Amino acid sequence: SRGGQPRANWSPDSRWLAYIKPLKSWYDAVFVYSTEEAKATQITDGLSDAGSPVFDQSGKYLYFTASTDIGPQVFGFDMSSYPHRPTRSVYACVLRKDLPSPLAPESDEEKVSDDKKDDAKVGDKTADQTGEKKDEAAANAKPGEKPGAKKEPPKVTIDFDNISQRILALPIPARNYVGLFAGKAAMLFVAEFPLDTSGPGPIGATIHKFDLEKRKLDKVIDNVGGFNLSFNGEKMLFRQGQDWFIAATAQPVKPGEGKLKIDQMEVYVDPKAEWNQMYRETWRIERDFFYDPNYHGLDLQATAKKYEPYLGVLAHRSDLNYLFQEMLGELTVGHLYVGGGDAPDPKRVPGGLLGADYKIENNRYRFAKVYNGENWNPQLRAPLTQPGVNVVAGEYLLAVNGRNLTASNNIYQFFEDTAGKQVVIRVGPNADGSGSREVTVVPVQGETGLRNLSWIEDNRRKVDQMSGGKLAYIYLPDTAQGGYTFFNRYYFSQLDKEGAVVDERFNSGGQAADYVIDYLKKPLMSYWAVRDGEDFRQPFGTMPGPKVMLTNEYSGSGGDYMPWMFRRAGVGPLIGKRTWGGLVGIGGYPVLIDGGSVTAPHFAFYSPEGKWEIENHGVDPDIEVEFDPKAWRAGHDVQLEKAVEVTLEALKKNPPPKAKRPPYPNYHNGQAEKAGN
């Protein structure tokens, strides 16, 4: 299947296998495979992206989801797919042409008698209409058994002639459905994942139950991380957080009911036997998934044999990971990661931080710098700048929760286990405590976001000052959701600038940042005049002036590819140092037996000219500038300063066009003048 594990579903009689398969358009289509004829047949037409095919237990219907608005999301590797929010609808394919529609209009006639035991309705279509339900129990009963004692699964027959006309949309609202599960006959469970994952609280799927007979959709449970049904459809297994539950499908789920006591479960293992199996499994993963069938020239079997003697002397699970790192390093490729595994996990006590730098003066801790945050943003909350706290650089931190704090104490010990909790601190202008005050703060668990924001904002102010307000500064921390968010915030809010410095140093990668490049190179097409106010450019988001991109050796993966695209698209020069050099992507591998993992990079970059590039080399800058630590400590970022210098020179040579509104046209008395003449 496209970009993941194969997804398939057996018919009730095990004679058919339903699955999805990508077409050359990259859209997935539903196929069924006949085990008797050894033949596969495509069911959907490929003009929608189909998924999650499952057979109804009656053998009459095949359910699946499909999206007709998925567009650029079908592959998902491009950042341009981020703003697109596709939906999926749920469909049922009536497998036999003699079966009626399960969605036919319901009869409004009042029943005279209900003594027919063989009516078994689906959408008020009686057994007489289908001609198949009468004496079904007797027909399925084995010799010597009473009818109903034990039923064989229904035989599934599929009429492929004109089957596309028997695909029906179920009365289920279109949403982001990610899975279907067939319960009892005419009962379907639908998993929905929220499109907006920015809200507070746990993020998981919502499970709905659709009754085909009643044509009714009911929500079953929220925030589900894993879900499955029992074979008979009467029970469901699901996970919420770290807890697993089993509940009946026929009744509403009660909070906490059916929780499994997995914390009391123990499994006895032989670690060395597991390590031996995982050693062989790791080499199988590389053998089967690595993008290059020649393995960069490495003899896998010989290398596995070369390192195998070390298995006998391992004493800890971390030793096995170390062995994996050493042996897999011989493949000479980036993105080959080793991690996890069944190892002791001691209890950790999180600390609390105030978002500040300190210096020691007068036997006290003194605030050297207080970091501003975005206190409207829960991810960038600054404890000391909250309303009513107002701690500033230069003040002393005198006490924490009533405990006197001096330079002989470890300040971080005073904030153990305080992240997210209220703490009373005493601060003041004097080391002796005179003039001090008590304020209540809520420490944060990490300061990385606050410090990164401070660095970004300092750079933005420097670029603005050095350029006299002419240049924008845009920092991109990665080419995933963070880079997308930062670009949308800092690029569009600075479209009044005449040029830009795009900084991708320390970029941790992610996906292909085509969205960023598309906007940076977007050409100006026209101006539009309004009666009042300034004329506006079209398309919106154009910045016609010069642009440069800053790179360094810590930019990698998507942070390799973005500067390569920047230069290839002719946006501007690259300044700084050569990037990391890792552009063979990863994802979708089996997990090792104890939960550990290894990657086998399996999709590799080459240029339209047919040349392998970037991997194990990186992207060279057009202007190389070493980062100077001494200058940086003195307040000078020489790479950033060079970027501003180069951009201003380009701006001077080729200033961006200015809007020049032409004289208004005169169309009176046939004296029409074309605009611009």
mmCIF file of all heavy atoms in Angstrom, residues 1-2 7 20-30 42 44-53 64-76 86-91 175-178:
data_model
loop_
_atom_site.group_PDB
_atom_site.id
_atom_site.type_symbol
_atom_site.label_atom_id
_atom_site.label_comp_id
_atom_site.label_asym_id
_atom_site.label_seq_id
_atom_site.Cartn_x
_atom_site.Cartn_y
_atom_site.Cartn_z
ATOM 1 N N SER A 1 0.840 -1.185 0.000
ATOM 2 C CA SER A 1 0.000 0.000 0.000
ATOM 3 C C SER A 1 0.881 1.242 0.000
ATOM 4 O O SER A 1 2.088 1.153 0.177
ATOM 5 C CB SER A 1 -0.925 -0.004 1.211
ATOM 6 O OG SER A 1 -0.184 0.159 2.397
ATOM 7 N N ARG A 2 0.272 2.403 -0.168
ATOM 8 C CA ARG A 2 1.014 3.649 -0.297
ATOM 9 C C ARG A 2 1.570 4.094 1.044
ATOM 10 O O ARG A 2 0.849 4.479 1.948
ATOM 11 C CB ARG A 2 0.057 4.714 -0.853
ATOM 12 C CG ARG A 2 0.674 6.064 -1.108
ATOM 13 C CD ARG A 2 -0.412 7.045 -1.545
ATOM 14 N NE ARG A 2 -1.345 7.323 -0.486
ATOM 15 C CZ ARG A 2 -2.653 7.457 -0.652
ATOM 16 N NH1 ARG A 2 -3.188 7.323 -1.833
ATOM 17 N NH2 ARG A 2 -3.449 7.704 0.371
ATOM 18 N N ARG A 7 -2.994 -3.173 4.076
ATOM 19 C CA ARG A 7 -4.247 -3.239 4.814
ATOM 20 C C ARG A 7 -5.219 -4.109 4.024
ATOM 21 O O ARG A 7 -5.520 -3.806 2.874
ATOM 22 C CB ARG A 7 -4.827 -1.837 5.003
ATOM 23 C CG ARG A 7 -4.021 -0.976 5.984
ATOM 24 C CD ARG A 7 -4.340 0.490 5.821
ATOM 25 N NE ARG A 7 -3.682 1.038 4.639
ATOM 26 C CZ ARG A 7 -3.853 2.282 4.211
ATOM 27 N NH1 ARG A 7 -4.656 3.092 4.855
ATOM 28 N NH2 ARG A 7 -3.221 2.704 3.125
ATOM 29 N N ILE A 20 -6.509 -2.332 -0.490
ATOM 30 C CA ILE A 20 -6.309 -1.144 -1.307
ATOM 31 C C ILE A 20 -4.929 -1.205 -1.946
ATOM 32 O O ILE A 20 -4.005 -1.814 -1.405
ATOM 33 C CB ILE A 20 -6.462 0.170 -0.496
ATOM 34 C CG1 ILE A 20 -5.446 0.234 0.636
ATOM 35 C CG2 ILE A 20 -7.871 0.342 0.008
ATOM 36 C CD1 ILE A 20 -5.390 1.587 1.316
ATOM 37 N N LYS A 21 -4.832 -0.572 -3.096
ATOM 38 C CA LYS A 21 -3.582 -0.586 -3.846
ATOM 39 C C LYS A 21 -3.462 0.740 -4.582
ATOM 40 O O LYS A 21 -4.437 1.221 -5.170
ATOM 41 C CB LYS A 21 -3.598 -1.750 -4.837
ATOM 42 C CG LYS A 21 -2.375 -1.855 -5.729
ATOM 43 C CD LYS A 21 -2.537 -3.034 -6.686
ATOM 44 C CE LYS A 21 -1.384 -3.121 -7.667
ATOM 45 N NZ LYS A 21 -1.556 -4.246 -8.612
ATOM 46 N N PRO A 22 -2.264 1.364 -4.538
ATOM 47 C CA PRO A 22 -2.121 2.637 -5.246
ATOM 48 C C PRO A 22 -2.082 2.448 -6.755
ATOM 49 O O PRO A 22 -1.452 1.515 -7.266
ATOM 50 C CB PRO A 22 -0.799 3.193 -4.712
ATOM 51 C CG PRO A 22 -0.035 1.989 -4.273
ATOM 52 C CD PRO A 22 -1.050 1.004 -3.799
ATOM 53 N N LEU A 23 -2.750 3.342 -7.458
ATOM 54 C CA LEU A 23 -2.685 3.380 -8.908
ATOM 55 C C LEU A 23 -1.513 4.266 -9.323
ATOM 56 O O LEU A 23 -0.828 4.845 -8.477
ATOM 57 C CB LEU A 23 -4.004 3.926 -9.467
ATOM 58 C CG LEU A 23 -5.273 3.209 -8.983
ATOM 59 C CD1 LEU A 23 -6.508 3.906 -9.532
ATOM 60 C CD2 LEU A 23 -5.259 1.744 -9.374
ATOM 61 N N LYS A 24 -1.271 4.406 -10.610
ATOM 62 C CA LYS A 24 -0.163 5.234 -11.060
ATOM 63 C C LYS A 24 -0.379 6.710 -10.735
ATOM 64 O O LYS A 24 0.564 7.493 -10.719
ATOM 65 C CB LYS A 24 0.059 5.043 -12.559
ATOM 66 C CG LYS A 24 0.660 3.683 -12.895
ATOM 67 C CD LYS A 24 1.037 3.581 -14.368
ATOM 68 C CE LYS A 24 1.716 2.241 -14.651
ATOM 69 N NZ LYS A 24 2.116 2.114 -16.079
ATOM 70 N N SER A 25 -1.621 7.083 -10.482
ATOM 71 C CA SER A 25 -1.918 8.454 -10.064
ATOM 72 C C SER A 25 -1.575 8.691 -8.599
ATOM 73 O O SER A 25 -1.667 9.811 -8.116
ATOM 74 C CB SER A 25 -3.404 8.745 -10.264
ATOM 75 O OG SER A 25 -4.183 7.929 -9.386
ATOM 76 N N TRP A 26 -1.228 7.626 -7.861
ATOM 77 C CA TRP A 26 -0.974 7.615 -6.417
ATOM 78 C C TRP A 26 -2.263 7.607 -5.606
ATOM 79 O O TRP A 26 -2.215 7.533 -4.386
ATOM 80 C CB TRP A 26 -0.058 8.764 -5.956
ATOM 81 C CG TRP A 26 1.368 8.522 -6.315
ATOM 82 C CD1 TRP A 26 2.002 8.941 -7.449
ATOM 83 C CD2 TRP A 26 2.336 7.772 -5.580
ATOM 84 N NE1 TRP A 26 3.304 8.509 -7.468
ATOM 85 C CE2 TRP A 26 3.544 7.790 -6.322
ATOM 86 C CE3 TRP A 26 2.314 7.091 -4.375
ATOM 87 C CZ2 TRP A 26 4.698 7.162 -5.887
ATOM 88 C CZ3 TRP A 26 3.470 6.462 -3.926
ATOM 89 C CH2 TRP A 26 4.641 6.502 -4.692
ATOM 90 N N TYR A 27 -3.406 7.663 -6.265
ATOM 91 C CA TYR A 27 -4.664 7.461 -5.543
ATOM 92 C C TYR A 27 -4.816 5.970 -5.247
ATOM 93 O O TYR A 27 -4.485 5.120 -6.099
ATOM 94 C CB TYR A 27 -5.844 7.940 -6.381
ATOM 95 C CG TYR A 27 -6.229 9.375 -6.168
ATOM 96 C CD1 TYR A 27 -5.270 10.350 -5.891
ATOM 97 C CD2 TYR A 27 -7.553 9.779 -6.255
ATOM 98 C CE1 TYR A 27 -5.622 11.669 -5.703
ATOM 99 C CE2 TYR A 27 -7.916 11.105 -6.067
ATOM 100 C CZ TYR A 27 -6.947 12.041 -5.792
ATOM 101 O OH TYR A 27 -7.310 13.353 -5.603
ATOM 102 N N ASP A 28 -5.334 5.648 -4.058
ATOM 103 C CA ASP A 28 -5.595 4.258 -3.702
ATOM 104 C C ASP A 28 -6.962 3.835 -4.228
ATOM 105 O O ASP A 28 -7.936 4.596 -4.164
ATOM 106 C CB ASP A 28 -5.579 4.073 -2.180
ATOM 107 C CG ASP A 28 -4.172 3.933 -1.633
ATOM 108 O OD1 ASP A 28 -3.277 3.525 -2.393
ATOM 109 O OD2 ASP A 28 -3.964 4.239 -0.448
ATOM 110 N N ALA A 29 -7.050 2.619 -4.739
ATOM 111 C CA ALA A 29 -8.321 2.036 -5.179
ATOM 112 C C ALA A 29 -8.559 0.746 -4.403
ATOM 113 O O ALA A 29 -7.618 0.112 -3.909
ATOM 114 C CB ALA A 29 -8.295 1.761 -6.682
ATOM 115 N N VAL A 30 -9.829 0.350 -4.295
ATOM 116 C CA VAL A 30 -10.199 -0.895 -3.620
ATOM 117 C C VAL A 30 -10.160 -2.033 -4.633
ATOM 118 O O VAL A 30 -10.694 -1.930 -5.742
ATOM 119 C CB VAL A 30 -11.602 -0.788 -3.002
ATOM 120 C CG1 VAL A 30 -12.046 -2.141 -2.439
ATOM 121 C CG2 VAL A 30 -11.619 0.260 -1.895
ATOM 122 N N GLN A 42 -10.402 -4.690 -9.668
ATOM 123 C CA GLN A 42 -10.534 -3.346 -9.102
ATOM 124 C C GLN A 42 -12.010 -3.000 -8.958
ATOM 125 O O GLN A 42 -12.797 -3.176 -9.881
ATOM 126 C CB GLN A 42 -9.827 -2.333 -10.005
ATOM 127 C CG GLN A 42 -9.850 -0.908 -9.468
ATOM 128 C CD GLN A 42 -9.039 0.042 -10.342
ATOM 129 O OE1 GLN A 42 -8.076 -0.365 -10.994
ATOM 130 N NE2 GLN A 42 -9.431 1.310 -10.359
ATOM 131 N N THR A 44 -13.217 0.215 -7.169
ATOM 132 C CA THR A 44 -13.453 1.655 -7.315
ATOM 133 C C THR A 44 -12.743 2.174 -8.554
ATOM 134 O O THR A 44 -11.787 1.578 -9.044
ATOM 135 C CB THR A 44 -12.973 2.415 -6.069
ATOM 136 O OG1 THR A 44 -11.575 2.135 -5.856
ATOM 137 C CG2 THR A 44 -13.754 1.978 -4.838
ATOM 138 N N ASP A 45 -13.212 3.328 -9.058
ATOM 139 C CA ASP A 45 -12.750 3.791 -10.369
ATOM 140 C C ASP A 45 -11.443 4.572 -10.354
ATOM 141 O O ASP A 45 -10.937 4.954 -11.403
ATOM 142 C CB ASP A 45 -13.834 4.627 -11.047
ATOM 143 C CG ASP A 45 -14.198 5.879 -10.255
ATOM 144 O OD1 ASP A 45 -13.496 6.193 -9.266
ATOM 145 O OD2 ASP A 45 -15.180 6.547 -10.627
ATOM 146 N N GLY A 46 -10.896 4.865 -9.176
ATOM 147 C CA GLY A 46 -9.624 5.578 -9.105
ATOM 148 C C GLY A 46 -9.752 7.083 -9.157
ATOM 149 O O GLY A 46 -8.751 7.793 -9.065
ATOM 150 N N LEU A 47 -10.964 7.611 -9.276
ATOM 151 C CA LEU A 47 -11.160 9.061 -9.273
ATOM 152 C C LEU A 47 -11.394 9.596 -7.866
ATOM 153 O O LEU A 47 -11.656 10.780 -7.677
ATOM 154 C CB LEU A 47 -12.333 9.442 -10.189
ATOM 155 C CG LEU A 47 -12.098 9.128 -11.673
ATOM 156 C CD1 LEU A 47 -13.321 9.496 -12.491
ATOM 157 C CD2 LEU A 47 -10.867 9.874 -12.190
ATOM 158 N N SER A 48 -11.320 8.724 -6.892
ATOM 159 C CA SER A 48 -11.327 9.113 -5.485
ATOM 160 C C SER A 48 -10.259 8.281 -4.793
ATOM 161 O O SER A 48 -9.841 7.237 -5.300
ATOM 162 C CB SER A 48 -12.697 8.874 -4.847
ATOM 163 O OG SER A 48 -13.040 7.500 -4.925
ATOM 164 N N ASP A 49 -9.828 8.734 -3.635
ATOM 165 C CA ASP A 49 -8.800 8.012 -2.877
ATOM 166 C C ASP A 49 -9.502 7.137 -1.850
ATOM 167 O O ASP A 49 -10.077 7.636 -0.875
ATOM 168 C CB ASP A 49 -7.859 9.000 -2.184
ATOM 169 C CG ASP A 49 -6.683 8.283 -1.543
ATOM 170 O OD1 ASP A 49 -5.854 7.732 -2.285
ATOM 171 O OD2 ASP A 49 -6.596 8.289 -0.304
ATOM 172 N N ALA A 50 -9.480 5.840 -2.071
ATOM 173 C CA ALA A 50 -10.251 4.911 -1.250
ATOM 174 C C ALA A 50 -9.402 4.301 -0.143
ATOM 175 O O ALA A 50 -8.170 4.285 -0.217
ATOM 176 C CB ALA A 50 -10.841 3.812 -2.126
ATOM 177 N N GLY A 51 -10.073 3.796 0.879
ATOM 178 C CA GLY A 51 -9.353 3.181 1.985
ATOM 179 C C GLY A 51 -10.244 2.336 2.861
ATOM 180 O O GLY A 51 -11.476 2.362 2.749
ATOM 181 N N SER A 52 -9.621 1.555 3.748
ATOM 182 C CA SER A 52 -10.276 0.791 4.816
ATOM 183 C C SER A 52 -11.394 -0.131 4.339
ATOM 184 O O SER A 52 -12.488 -0.123 4.901
ATOM 185 C CB SER A 52 -10.833 1.749 5.877
ATOM 186 O OG SER A 52 -9.850 2.616 6.359
ATOM 187 N N PRO A 53 -11.190 -0.962 3.314
ATOM 188 C CA PRO A 53 -12.273 -1.859 2.895
ATOM 189 C C PRO A 53 -12.506 -2.974 3.908
ATOM 190 O O PRO A 53 -11.554 -3.609 4.370
ATOM 191 C CB PRO A 53 -11.767 -2.417 1.563
ATOM 192 C CG PRO A 53 -10.275 -2.363 1.675
ATOM 193 C CD PRO A 53 -9.970 -1.142 2.500
ATOM 194 N N PHE A 64 -16.225 0.818 2.534
ATOM 195 C CA PHE A 64 -14.921 1.472 2.400
ATOM 196 C C PHE A 64 -15.107 2.975 2.531
ATOM 197 O O PHE A 64 -16.231 3.493 2.470
ATOM 198 C CB PHE A 64 -14.252 1.122 1.059
ATOM 199 C CG PHE A 64 -15.030 1.530 -0.165
ATOM 200 C CD1 PHE A 64 -14.841 2.783 -0.753
ATOM 201 C CD2 PHE A 64 -15.952 0.657 -0.742
ATOM 202 C CE1 PHE A 64 -15.556 3.158 -1.875
ATOM 203 C CE2 PHE A 64 -16.673 1.026 -1.871
ATOM 204 C CZ PHE A 64 -16.473 2.285 -2.437
ATOM 205 N N THR A 65 -14.004 3.674 2.743
ATOM 206 C CA THR A 65 -14.031 5.136 2.761
ATOM 207 C C THR A 65 -13.427 5.647 1.462
ATOM 208 O O THR A 65 -12.674 4.937 0.799
ATOM 209 C CB THR A 65 -13.233 5.709 3.940
ATOM 210 O OG1 THR A 65 -11.851 5.363 3.779
ATOM 211 C CG2 THR A 65 -13.738 5.181 5.272
ATOM 212 N N ALA A 66 -13.758 6.877 1.118
ATOM 213 C CA ALA A 66 -13.151 7.486 -0.067
ATOM 214 C C ALA A 66 -13.214 8.995 0.060
ATOM 215 O O ALA A 66 -14.151 9.550 0.650
ATOM 216 C CB ALA A 66 -13.846 7.028 -1.348
ATOM 217 N N SER A 67 -12.188 9.650 -0.490
ATOM 218 C CA SER A 67 -12.112 11.109 -0.485
ATOM 219 C C SER A 67 -12.037 11.609 -1.921
ATOM 220 O O SER A 67 -11.237 11.118 -2.720
ATOM 221 C CB SER A 67 -10.879 11.582 0.297
ATOM 222 O OG SER A 67 -10.722 12.983 0.175
ATOM 223 N N THR A 68 -12.859 12.605 -2.220
ATOM 224 C CA THR A 68 -12.801 13.247 -3.533
ATOM 225 C C THR A 68 -12.153 14.625 -3.451
ATOM 226 O O THR A 68 -12.052 15.314 -4.459
ATOM 227 C CB THR A 68 -14.215 13.391 -4.121
ATOM 228 O OG1 THR A 68 -15.041 14.124 -3.203
ATOM 229 C CG2 THR A 68 -14.834 12.028 -4.385
ATOM 230 N N ASP A 69 -11.723 15.035 -2.251
ATOM 231 C CA ASP A 69 -11.101 16.357 -2.099
ATOM 232 C C ASP A 69 -9.710 16.273 -1.479
ATOM 233 O O ASP A 69 -9.191 17.247 -0.959
ATOM 234 C CB ASP A 69 -11.991 17.285 -1.266
ATOM 235 C CG ASP A 69 -12.168 16.807 0.174
ATOM 236 O OD1 ASP A 69 -11.632 15.729 0.529
ATOM 237 O OD2 ASP A 69 -12.835 17.501 0.954
ATOM 238 N N ILE A 70 -9.090 15.094 -1.543
ATOM 239 C CA ILE A 70 -7.810 14.912 -0.861
ATOM 240 C C ILE A 70 -6.681 15.686 -1.533
ATOM 241 O O ILE A 70 -5.758 16.151 -0.876
ATOM 242 C CB ILE A 70 -7.464 13.409 -0.747
ATOM 243 C CG1 ILE A 70 -6.291 13.204 0.207
ATOM 244 C CG2 ILE A 70 -7.202 12.799 -2.106
ATOM 245 C CD1 ILE A 70 -6.051 11.761 0.574
ATOM 246 N N GLY A 71 -6.740 15.832 -2.857
ATOM 247 C CA GLY A 71 -5.789 16.658 -3.587
ATOM 248 C C GLY A 71 -4.348 16.429 -3.194
ATOM 249 O O GLY A 71 -3.841 15.311 -3.224
ATOM 250 N N PRO A 72 -3.638 17.500 -2.783
ATOM 251 C CA PRO A 72 -2.201 17.368 -2.494
ATOM 252 C C PRO A 72 -1.884 16.541 -1.254
ATOM 253 O O PRO A 72 -0.734 16.207 -1.024
ATOM 254 C CB PRO A 72 -1.756 18.824 -2.302
ATOM 255 C CG PRO A 72 -2.990 19.565 -1.911
ATOM 256 C CD PRO A 72 -4.107 18.883 -2.649
ATOM 257 N N GLN A 73 -2.907 16.195 -0.461
ATOM 258 C CA GLN A 73 -2.656 15.402 0.737
ATOM 259 C C GLN A 73 -2.447 13.930 0.437
ATOM 260 O O GLN A 73 -2.090 13.165 1.324
ATOM 261 C CB GLN A 73 -3.828 15.546 1.718
ATOM 262 C CG GLN A 73 -3.723 16.717 2.671
ATOM 263 C CD GLN A 73 -2.808 16.413 3.853
ATOM 264 O OE1 GLN A 73 -2.216 15.339 3.932
ATOM 265 N NE2 GLN A 73 -2.681 17.343 4.758
ATOM 266 N N VAL A 74 -2.667 13.513 -0.805
ATOM 267 C CA VAL A 74 -2.638 12.091 -1.109
ATOM 268 C C VAL A 74 -1.284 11.474 -0.795
ATOM 269 O O VAL A 74 -1.193 10.310 -0.420
ATOM 270 C CB VAL A 74 -3.030 11.851 -2.585
ATOM 271 C CG1 VAL A 74 -1.954 12.316 -3.538
ATOM 272 C CG2 VAL A 74 -3.349 10.379 -2.826
ATOM 273 N N PHE A 75 -0.225 12.258 -0.925
ATOM 274 C CA PHE A 75 1.109 11.729 -0.613
ATOM 275 C C PHE A 75 1.604 12.257 0.717
ATOM 276 O O PHE A 75 2.177 11.522 1.506
ATOM 277 C CB PHE A 75 2.078 12.080 -1.741
ATOM 278 C CG PHE A 75 3.372 11.314 -1.660
ATOM 279 C CD1 PHE A 75 3.372 9.937 -1.567
ATOM 280 C CD2 PHE A 75 4.582 11.968 -1.684
ATOM 281 C CE1 PHE A 75 4.554 9.222 -1.488
ATOM 282 C CE2 PHE A 75 5.774 11.266 -1.614
ATOM 283 C CZ PHE A 75 5.755 9.889 -1.519
ATOM 284 N N GLY A 76 1.401 13.548 0.974
ATOM 285 C CA GLY A 76 1.700 14.091 2.291
ATOM 286 C C GLY A 76 3.144 14.439 2.555
ATOM 287 O O GLY A 76 3.468 14.929 3.628
ATOM 288 N N PRO A 86 -8.561 17.443 3.981
ATOM 289 C CA PRO A 86 -9.517 16.628 3.223
ATOM 290 C C PRO A 86 -10.499 15.897 4.127
ATOM 291 O O PRO A 86 -10.264 15.721 5.332
ATOM 292 C CB PRO A 86 -8.611 15.636 2.496
ATOM 293 C CG PRO A 86 -7.428 15.488 3.398
ATOM 294 C CD PRO A 86 -7.225 16.846 4.029
ATOM 295 N N THR A 87 -11.575 15.481 3.546
ATOM 296 C CA THR A 87 -12.570 14.681 4.257
ATOM 297 C C THR A 87 -12.780 13.373 3.517
ATOM 298 O O THR A 87 -12.445 13.240 2.338
ATOM 299 C CB THR A 87 -13.909 15.420 4.367
ATOM 300 O OG1 THR A 87 -14.374 15.738 3.039
ATOM 301 C CG2 THR A 87 -13.764 16.697 5.173
ATOM 302 N N ARG A 88 -13.353 12.413 4.219
ATOM 303 C CA ARG A 88 -13.702 11.126 3.624
ATOM 304 C C ARG A 88 -15.161 10.803 3.936
ATOM 305 O O ARG A 88 -15.667 11.152 5.002
ATOM 306 C CB ARG A 88 -12.800 10.008 4.153
ATOM 307 C CG ARG A 88 -11.361 10.121 3.676
ATOM 308 C CD ARG A 88 -10.509 8.961 4.154
ATOM 309 N NE ARG A 88 -9.160 9.075 3.611
ATOM 310 C CZ ARG A 88 -8.790 8.566 2.439
ATOM 311 N NH1 ARG A 88 -9.656 7.884 1.705
ATOM 312 N NH2 ARG A 88 -7.558 8.714 2.003
ATOM 313 N N SER A 89 -15.792 10.161 3.000
ATOM 314 C CA SER A 89 -17.141 9.658 3.215
ATOM 315 C C SER A 89 -17.080 8.136 3.283
ATOM 316 O O SER A 89 -16.076 7.517 2.906
ATOM 317 C CB SER A 89 -18.065 10.099 2.077
ATOM 318 O OG SER A 89 -18.183 11.516 2.052
ATOM 319 N N VAL A 90 -18.162 7.532 3.778
ATOM 320 C CA VAL A 90 -18.220 6.076 3.933
ATOM 321 C C VAL A 90 -19.222 5.527 2.924
ATOM 322 O O VAL A 90 -20.328 6.056 2.778
ATOM 323 C CB VAL A 90 -18.620 5.681 5.367
ATOM 324 C CG1 VAL A 90 -18.590 4.161 5.524
ATOM 325 C CG2 VAL A 90 -17.693 6.342 6.380
ATOM 326 N N TYR A 91 -18.806 4.465 2.239
ATOM 327 C CA TYR A 91 -19.610 3.891 1.171
ATOM 328 C C TYR A 91 -19.842 2.409 1.410
ATOM 329 O O TYR A 91 -19.072 1.744 2.115
ATOM 330 C CB TYR A 91 -18.910 4.078 -0.180
ATOM 331 C CG TYR A 91 -18.688 5.526 -0.546
ATOM 332 C CD1 TYR A 91 -17.539 6.201 -0.116
ATOM 333 C CD2 TYR A 91 -19.614 6.229 -1.299
ATOM 334 C CE1 TYR A 91 -17.328 7.531 -0.430
ATOM 335 C CE2 TYR A 91 -19.411 7.562 -1.622
ATOM 336 C CZ TYR A 91 -18.269 8.212 -1.183
ATOM 337 O OH TYR A 91 -18.066 9.532 -1.493
ATOM 338 N N ARG A 175 -16.115 13.304 7.103
ATOM 339 C CA ARG A 175 -15.139 13.752 8.094
ATOM 340 C C ARG A 175 -13.801 13.082 7.787
ATOM 341 O O ARG A 175 -13.661 12.412 6.777
ATOM 342 C CB ARG A 175 -15.600 13.411 9.513
ATOM 343 C CG ARG A 175 -16.865 14.161 9.963
ATOM 344 C CD ARG A 175 -17.371 13.626 11.285
ATOM 345 N NE ARG A 175 -18.596 14.289 11.713
ATOM 346 C CZ ARG A 175 -19.426 13.791 12.633
ATOM 347 N NH1 ARG A 175 -19.161 12.633 13.213
ATOM 348 N NH2 ARG A 175 -20.511 14.453 12.975
ATOM 349 N N ASN A 176 -12.845 13.234 8.687
ATOM 350 C CA ASN A 176 -11.527 12.628 8.473
ATOM 351 C C ASN A 176 -11.523 11.224 9.071
ATOM 352 O O ASN A 176 -10.972 10.977 10.138
ATOM 353 C CB ASN A 176 -10.437 13.494 9.119
ATOM 354 C CG ASN A 176 -9.055 12.961 8.816
ATOM 355 O OD1 ASN A 176 -8.791 12.474 7.732
ATOM 356 N ND2 ASN A 176 -8.158 13.045 9.790
ATOM 357 N N TYR A 177 -12.128 10.288 8.353
ATOM 358 C CA TYR A 177 -12.206 8.910 8.833
ATOM 359 C C TYR A 177 -10.910 8.170 8.493
ATOM 360 O O TYR A 177 -10.395 8.276 7.381
ATOM 361 C CB TYR A 177 -13.406 8.201 8.220
ATOM 362 C CG TYR A 177 -14.725 8.847 8.585
ATOM 363 C CD1 TYR A 177 -15.577 9.345 7.613
ATOM 364 C CD2 TYR A 177 -15.112 8.979 9.919
ATOM 365 C CE1 TYR A 177 -16.779 9.951 7.950
ATOM 366 C CE2 TYR A 177 -16.310 9.577 10.262
ATOM 367 C CZ TYR A 177 -17.140 10.067 9.277
ATOM 368 O OH TYR A 177 -18.315 10.675 9.620
ATOM 369 N N VAL A 178 -10.425 7.421 9.471
ATOM 370 C CA VAL A 178 -9.135 6.741 9.305
ATOM 371 C C VAL A 178 -9.234 5.230 9.398
ATOM 372 O O VAL A 178 -8.220 4.544 9.245
ATOM 373 C CB VAL A 178 -8.121 7.263 10.349
ATOM 374 C CG1 VAL A 178 -7.808 8.724 10.113
ATOM 375 C CG2 VAL A 178 -8.644 7.056 11.778
#
